[in-house]
């Protein structure tokens, strides 16, 4: 999938929307790692700072979380809900 570099929406927001759609569509299920910055860089052809901004958007939305030394994973809201219920 490509991004529109000339459009009104910044590339990092477009990338966040693409990854969000993959999460919501189930192609990246809860508990799974999203593609690394290197993989996203190869896919979209943008600078890593742009990708970091995209990941930050997803983190701010509560869709993903960083696991130190492992990567960025889709939050399993069901598991988080189970922990707080007990």
């Amino acid at each position: 999938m490509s991004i529109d570099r000339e459009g009104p929406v910044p590339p990092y927001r477009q990338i966040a929307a693409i990854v969000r759609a993959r999460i919501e569509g189930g192609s990246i299920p809860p508990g799974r790692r999203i593609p690394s910055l290197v993989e996203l860089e190869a896919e979209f052809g943008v600078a890593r700072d742009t990708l970091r901004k995209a990941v930050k958007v997803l983190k701010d939305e509560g869709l993903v979380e960083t696991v130190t030394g492992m990567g960025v994973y889709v939050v399993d809201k069901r598991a988080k809900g189970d922990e707080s219920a007990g």
Side-chain angles (χ1 to χ4, degrees):
M1 192 168 249
S2 64
I3 56 172
D4 180 5
R5 295 172 191 274
E6 303 300 319
V9 178
Y12 77 94
R13 291 239 177 241
Q14 294 178 55
I15 294 166
I18 292 166
V19 176
R20 182 185 312 106
R22 292 175 185 173
I23 292 168
E24 292 173 349
S27 64
I28 309 176
R32 265 285 168 78
R33 183 179 65 83
I34 68 168
S36 69
L37 293 180
V38 172
E39 293 165 322
L40 292 171
E41 184 178 28
E43 180 177 355
F44 295 109
V46 297
R48 289 199 189 169
D49 279 346
T50 301
L51 298 169
R52 286 185 188 98
K53 285 183 182 179
V55 171
K56 182 178 181 333
V57 168
L58 298 171
K59 284 181 185 178
D60 290 348
E61 293 174 356
L63 290 174
V64 299
E65 62 187 358
T66 300
V67 177
T68 305
M70 304 273 299
V72 180
Y73 287 78
V74 176
V75 172
D76 187 346
K77 293 182 181 181
R78 294 166 299 171
K80 291 211 178 266
D82 291 344
E83 289 173 8
S84 63

